[in-house]
Amino acid sequence: MKIKLDQDGNLNLPLSFFQRRNLPTPLEFWLFEREGEPILLPRLPNLHKLYIEVTTGCNLQCRFCMRNIWDDPIALMTQEIFDAVAARLPFLPELEEVIFTSFGEPLTHPKILGMIETFTSRGLRVTLGSNGILLTPKIVTELIKLGVYRIMVSIDGAQAETFHDLRGANLQQIISNLEQMQELKRRFSTRLPELGIEFVILKSNAGELPALVRLAARLGAARLIVSNVLAYTEDMVDQTLYSYAPIDSVKGFGFPDLGSGWWLWNFMEMPRMHWGAERHCRFVHSRAAVVGWDGGVSPCYALSHNYSYYTLDGRKKKVNRYVFGNVTQTPLDEIWMAEEYMQFRSEVAVYHYPSCPDCDLRSTCDLREINEGCWGTNPSCADCLWSQDIIRCP
């Protein structure tokens, strides 16, 4: 459509343009260029999915967790920061889903139930991520009453010994908590909260995935997400199953044959096991944002903390946290519609970045050791394993 500017530099668009698209009037745009072509982005408060990190602390010390190597503080989100998020809900009309999870345990926050109620009382769908230790009958009863939609529990082994080695916790305690959750849901005559299970697959636990599938079915899980491990340490590099090559090359690592059947593959969400040409950011395409414990707004988990990890070819990469603003200083909806953030999402949506793992210079490129690219905008998402579905999350 031809767009004209009036004498004041404002966009003049016919009313039908707004009506067909259910857009507000007047509507503001950001204009920028990509390779010489103009890109026009409407400023819309269309945030759909919000991740909230209420704490960076946890009651476990899992072997493969980012918390073992990061430089970030262990802290709780304050009430002031949380209130700054909640105050902008009326200005985010398309927000539908809120997920309380990150690299800490949300149930260790003393005000978590009140925080959850802030969103469920407004009819928003709330998911809680947990390691399951604190899902006692008392807590689960409160979560049922609050109308929580789903609880995602991390279970990385079907054998007690494997689970304890990876997470330092008692698997039977978690199973018992989830069995009691089933009973409480029957008592309250409700199917909510749904149970989801996350399984981080390694060479050491891959053979237990079939048993984990059976356990998840017995516990009434509605969803099973399998993710590869992001190797933060050298010993975790040796545990990875994914590679540059197609999946056939990793069969020797003990990746289990799960058989077939539509029921199994609809229930279980498997990761990709090798680098591919297609790249797709679930955070950007689901219109999601991450609010950190200190109020900083990041576009995804990958850019929400300062840490190092090992790339597909075993090089150590330093990632610097990237925020577009802080909710205590700028309203969340204004951060979402800011020029820099909108341009970033536009670049990620079309994946306007090089494909570092496919580059002939990858073995000598120093930019791969930091979160930057040789072209495109920075921070660079050029070799992001989340965009490959190699690393998965709710």
Side-chain angles (χ1 to χ4, degrees):
M1 175 179 291
K2 186 176 181 180
I3 299 174
K4 295 181 179 179
L5 296 174
D6 65 18
Q7 61 183 5
D8 297 320
N10 298 316
L11 287 167
N12 282 329
L13 297 171
L15 184 60
S16 59
F17 177 91
F18 299 92
Q19 292 174 335
R20 286 198 302 269
R21 295 164 177 81
N22 195 29
L23 297 175
T25 54
L27 183 61
E28 298 177 328
F29 293 80
W30 290 119
L31 175 65
F32 67 95
E33 289 187 2
R34 181 185 298 130
E35 296 183 348
E37 294 296 324
I39 305 294
L40 194 65
L41 299 176
R43 294 183 74 252
L44 294 171
N46 58 352
L47 178 67
H48 178 80
K49 190 174 184 179
L50 184 63
Y51 292 84
I52 300 181
E53 178 185 53
V54 296
T55 180
T56 56
C58 189
N59 53 344
L60 294 182
Q61 197 72 27
C62 303
R63 281 180 54 195
F64 49 80
C65 184
M66 183 193 292
R67 297 175 65 257
N68 296 323
I69 55 89
W70 71 15
D71 300 324
D72 296 357
I74 305 301
L76 296 172
M77 177 178 281
T78 66
Q79 190 66 46
E80 176 192 8
I81 293 172
F82 181 81
D83 289 345
V85 175
R88 303 310 293 180
L89 292 181
F91 302 92
L92 295 167
E94 296 188 33
L95 182 64
E96 292 185 0
E97 184 174 5
V98 178
I99 301 177
F100 286 92
T101 187
S102 186
F103 299 97
E105 169 55 53
L107 287 176
T108 62
H109 197 294
K111 297 184 178 180
I112 185 62
L113 295 178
M115 291 174 165
I116 291 172
E117 185 177 15
T118 296
F119 296 101
T120 57
S121 64
R122 289 170 166 83
L124 297 173
R125 188 170 69 184
V126 171
T127 293
L128 173 71
S130 175
N131 57 41
I133 297 293
L134 300 177
L135 285 173
T136 62
K138 180 179 179 181
I139 290 294
V140 170
T141 298
E142 293 301 317
L143 296 176
I144 290 173
K145 291 179 178 179
L146 289 175
V148 169
Y149 175 74
R150 178 178 288 150
I151 299 174
M152 295 295 303
V153 179
S154 300
I155 302 180
D156 303 311
Q159 307 259 343
E161 296 80 6
T162 303
F163 188 84
H164 187 270
D165 178 61
L166 293 173
R167 289 189 167 263
N170 185 338
L171 176 60
Q172 188 52 50
Q173 178 186 353
I174 294 169
I175 292 174
S176 177
N177 285 346
L178 298 181
E179 288 173 338
Q180 292 180 81
M181 185 170 82
Q182 274 187 301
E183 176 56 34
L184 285 167
K185 286 161 63 175
R186 282 193 289 266
R187 190 181 305 171
F188 281 92
S189 300
T190 180
R191 67 176 187 85
L192 300 180
E194 291 183 352
L195 172 63
I197 291 178
E198 296 180 75
F199 180 86
V200 177
I201 194 166
L202 312 160
K203 290 179 185 177
S204 61
N205 69 358
E208 297 181 21
L209 184 52
L212 193 279
V213 171
R214 293 191 291 272
L215 174 62
R218 180 168 68 83
L219 293 172
R223 187 182 187 191
L224 172 57
I225 298 177
V226 180
S227 174
N228 283 291
V229 66
L230 189 61
Y232 302 112
T233 59
E234 289 190 62
D235 64 317
M236 281 294 110
V237 174
D238 295 333
Q239 285 289 323
T240 58
L241 287 161
Y242 52 91
S243 69
Y244 283 115
I247 193 169
D248 287 349
S249 68
V250 299
K251 286 184 177 178
F253 295 162
F255 194 74
D257 182 5
L258 297 170
S260 60
W262 67 267
W263 64 272
L264 175 63
W265 296 108
N266 281 338
F267 168 66
M268 183 168 58
E269 302 171 37
M270 293 295 293
R272 179 187 275 177
M273 303 306 294
H274 64 93
W275 185 267
E278 182 183 355
R279 293 179 288 177
H280 177 89
C281 178
R282 291 178 180 268
F283 290 94
V284 166
H285 284 273
S286 63
R287 305 206 307 268
V290 179
V291 179
W293 66 274
D294 59 353
V297 179
S298 298
C300 60
Y301 276 160
L303 295 174
S304 64
H305 286 282
N306 301 295
Y307 62 97
S308 297
Y309 76 97
Y310 288 85
T311 62
L312 278 168
D313 54 357
R315 297 186 70 182
K316 192 173 184 179
K317 182 184 183 75
K318 173 65 176 176
V319 176
N320 291 313
R321 184 188 186 196
Y322 199 81
V323 299
F324 290 97
N326 192 292
V327 297
T328 61
Q329 300 166 357
T330 308
L332 177 57
D333 50 301
E334 290 297 327
I335 294 173
W336 175 257
M337 295 186 292
E339 182 177 15
E340 182 186 10
Y341 196 176
M342 290 190 64
Q343 182 173 355
F344 174 87
R345 296 200 303 274
S346 176
E347 298 294 289
V348 175
V350 298
Y351 235 87
H352 191 240
Y353 302 102
S355 182
C356 291
D358 298 322
C359 179
D360 293 337
L361 301 176
R362 65 177 180 267
S363 61
T364 58
C365 179
D366 292 339
L367 290 175
R368 292 203 64 207
E369 297 177 0
I370 55 177
N371 204 38
E372 293 186 9
C374 56
W375 59 267
T377 58
N378 286 313
S380 176
C381 303
D383 59 357
C384 176
L385 297 181
W386 270 276
S387 73
Q388 287 282 317
D389 266 354
I390 290 173
I391 309 298
R392 296 178 60 91
C393 54

